[in-house]
């Protein structure tokens, strides 16, 4: 196996999950990685582990560098099983290492794994001497679970923040500068689908870390590529995404039964494009919900279209709204459109769903009965043009 060294004595010893395509509802089109790190010092430290089926892959990587029984300390930055489910076998393999974690980490690990562990609980600002290095810790509750924390190695300027700054991306490369701009697309999708609801906490945590004045050469997240060329780039992107900075971009997200809602969607798209908006048409059965959410991250406006089925919205729209509401994408303006046969009901149900979560709703709506005629298509184009003006003046978001 190729040995990957971040800095002298600090190694990546994680695993690559090439074939996972669904990560609890998120489409992982290239797979992902579970990143664990080994620090060699007077006391040897393993930072996080990997998902259980990949335990032997991690063990193999560690064994290329040292005898695993020489590990003295394991740091568990996060309880979720993609990072902790190899803890029990590695503890059994190496003896009785100290397991360093947050207070909530101790409680969470105790509920997941019944085996007794030799815990050492740490808090923000505490440090741990391992010889030449003094590891320090920053609790980061809700990034991604209440137990989450960051480990920082000041002597090497390396930050290991677990889920923060990660990407679900599998490749032969381990560092972002080996891949190029593609990494940002994966980082954006990861942020939008996992961390977006936590945006206010992310801003606070980035501010807190900035005030600590800790220099950072390398960010080693727990998924995907390691940021070593320009770690400031991903930090700035997190600030922008958390602040809801958006482009002059609008999405037309819809489903259709007999083509009527689609005809309206295409008319709206035409109107948006004619007004110079970067617009995208996204059919709910052709695009995975997690890809649509990624597109939404930098869009100012979102138009949602559904036909009426059994007096309500189409099931795919219900699925999408349920997923979207949980991610709380604030700072967007939403508009509604759709077709119906007789009674209608889709827009009413969609509106209720969005109002419950206090999304910013455009007062105009567009509907057509049965099949839209040429005048109604002209109306759809105009609707798109009006929405383009609306997103221009909407004050809930900023533009880059
Ligand atoms: Fe990658 Fe929250 O676990």
């Amino acid at each position: 196996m190729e040995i990957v060294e971040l800095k002298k004595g600090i190694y990546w010893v994680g695993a690559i999950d090439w074939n996972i395509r669904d990560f609890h509802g998120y489409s992982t089109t290239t797979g992902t990685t579970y990143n664990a790190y080994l620090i060699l010092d007077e006391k040897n430290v393993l930072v996080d582990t990997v998902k259980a089926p990949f335990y032997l892959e991690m063990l193999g990587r560690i064994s290329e560098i040292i005898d695993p029984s020489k590990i003295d300390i394991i740091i568990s930055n996060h309880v979720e099983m993609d990072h902790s489910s190899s803890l029990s076998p590695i503890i059994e393999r190496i003896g009785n290492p100290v397991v360093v974690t947050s207070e909530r980490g101790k409680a969470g690990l105790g509920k997941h794994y019944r085996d007794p562990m030799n815990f050492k609980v740490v808090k923000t600002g505490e440090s741990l001497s391992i010889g030449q290095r003094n590891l320090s810790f920053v609790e980061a509750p809700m990034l991604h679970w209440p137990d989450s924390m960051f480990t920082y190695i000041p002597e090497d300027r390396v930050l290991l923040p677990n889920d923060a700054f990660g990407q679900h991306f599998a490749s032969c490369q381990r560092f972002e500068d080996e891949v190029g701009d593609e990494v940002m697309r994966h980082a954006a999708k990861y942020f939008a689908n996992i961390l977006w609801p936590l945006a206010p906490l992310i801003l606070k945590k980035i501010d807190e870390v900035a005030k600590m004045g800790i220099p950072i050469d390398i960010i080693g997240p727990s998924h995907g590529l390691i940021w070593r060329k320009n770690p400031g780039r991903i930090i700035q992107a997190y600030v922008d995404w958390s602040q809801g900075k958006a482009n002059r971009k609008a999405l037309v997200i819809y489903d259709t039964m007999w083509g009527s809602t689609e005809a309206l969607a295409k008319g709206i798209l035409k109107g948006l494009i004619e007004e110079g908006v970067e617009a995208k048409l996204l059919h709910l059965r052709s695009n995975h919900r997690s890809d649509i959410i990624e597109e939404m991250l930098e869009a100012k406006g979102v138009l949602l279209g559904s036909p009426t089925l059994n007096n309500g919205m189409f099931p795919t729209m219900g699925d999408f709204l349920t997923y979207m509401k949980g991610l709380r994408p604030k700072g967007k303006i939403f508009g509604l459109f759709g077709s119906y046969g007789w009674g209608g009901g889709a827009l009413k149900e969609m509106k209720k769903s969005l109002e419950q979560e206090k999304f910013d709703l455009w007062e105009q709506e567009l509907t057509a009965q049965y099949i839209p005629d040429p005048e109604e298509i002209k109306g759809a184009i105009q609707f798109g043009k009006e929405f383009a003006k609306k997103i221009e003046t909407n004050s809930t978001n900023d533009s880059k």
Side-chain angles (χ1 to χ4, degrees), residues 41-105:
D41 210 311
E42 288 168 27
K43 289 193 187 306
N44 299 312
V45 179
L46 178 65
V47 182
D48 293 314
T49 69
V50 298
K51 195 171 166 184
F54 297 86
Y55 165 66
L56 289 177
E57 189 173 328
M58 177 185 76
L59 191 67
R61 288 205 162 85
I62 294 170
S63 303
E64 294 270 318
I65 302 163
I66 57 163
D67 174 352
S69 65
K70 293 194 172 359
I71 292 173
D72 304 286
I73 297 166
I74 300 176
I75 295 173
S76 176
N77 280 318
H78 182 24
V79 171
E80 196 165 10
M81 288 86 86
D82 47 338
H83 309 296
S84 71
S85 54
S86 291
L87 256 180
S88 295
I90 191 78
I91 287 171
E92 191 178 335
R93 171 70 176 75
I94 66 183
N96 189 27
V98 173
V99 177
V100 176
T101 189
S102 65
E103 187 71 53
R104 285 165 160 168

Side-chain angles (χ1 to χ4, degrees), residues 23-24 33-34 78-83 143-145 148 162-163 168 190 194 222-223:
F23 194 99
H24 53 52
T33 74
Y34 312 108
H78 182 24
V79 171
E80 196 165 10
M81 288 86 86
D82 47 338
H83 309 296
L143 298 178
H144 162 228
W145 279 9
S148 295
N162 200 270
D163 276 343
H168 282 312
Y190 182 95
I194 295 178
S222 59
H223 296 289

Side-chain angles (χ1 to χ4, degrees), residues 103-206:
E103 187 71 53
R104 285 165 160 168
K106 179 183 172 184
L109 290 172
K111 288 291 284 181
H112 278 73
Y113 312 106
R114 306 294 156 154
D115 322 323
M117 294 183 192
N118 182 17
F119 286 116
K120 174 178 173 54
V121 169
V122 291
K123 292 184 166 58
T124 293
E126 289 187 7
S127 59
L128 178 70
S129 173
I130 59 167
Q132 301 304 308
R133 300 175 176 89
N134 291 286
L135 308 183
S136 64
F137 306 97
V138 179
E139 290 165 277
M142 300 316 296
L143 298 178
H144 162 228
W145 279 9
D147 52 85
S148 295
M149 70 175 194
F150 299 171
T151 297
Y152 179 62
I153 312 165
E155 294 78 7
D156 299 285
R157 302 177 168 212
V158 172
L159 180 69
L160 304 175
N162 200 270
D163 276 343
F165 309 118
Q167 331 94 49
H168 282 312
F169 180 56
S171 75
C172 307
Q173 296 81 16
R174 298 276 63 80
F175 297 97
E176 105 282 11
D177 53 285
E178 299 172 307
V179 169
D181 277 349
E182 187 186 1
V183 65
M184 291 309 291
R185 190 169 61 76
H186 291 286
K189 182 172 177 180
Y190 182 95
F191 177 93
N193 282 278
I194 295 178
L195 298 173
W196 205 347
L198 313 165
L201 292 173
I202 289 168
L203 285 173
K204 274 174 79 175
K205 190 53 59 181
I206 289 176

Side-chain angles (χ1 to χ4, degrees), residues 348 350-359 361:
K348 189 177 167 194
M350 290 156 73
K351 188 175 178 180
K352 187 177 166 194
S353 174
L354 292 168
E355 281 178 345
Q356 274 174 352
E357 300 297 324
K358 298 188 169 38
F359 284 104
L361 258 178

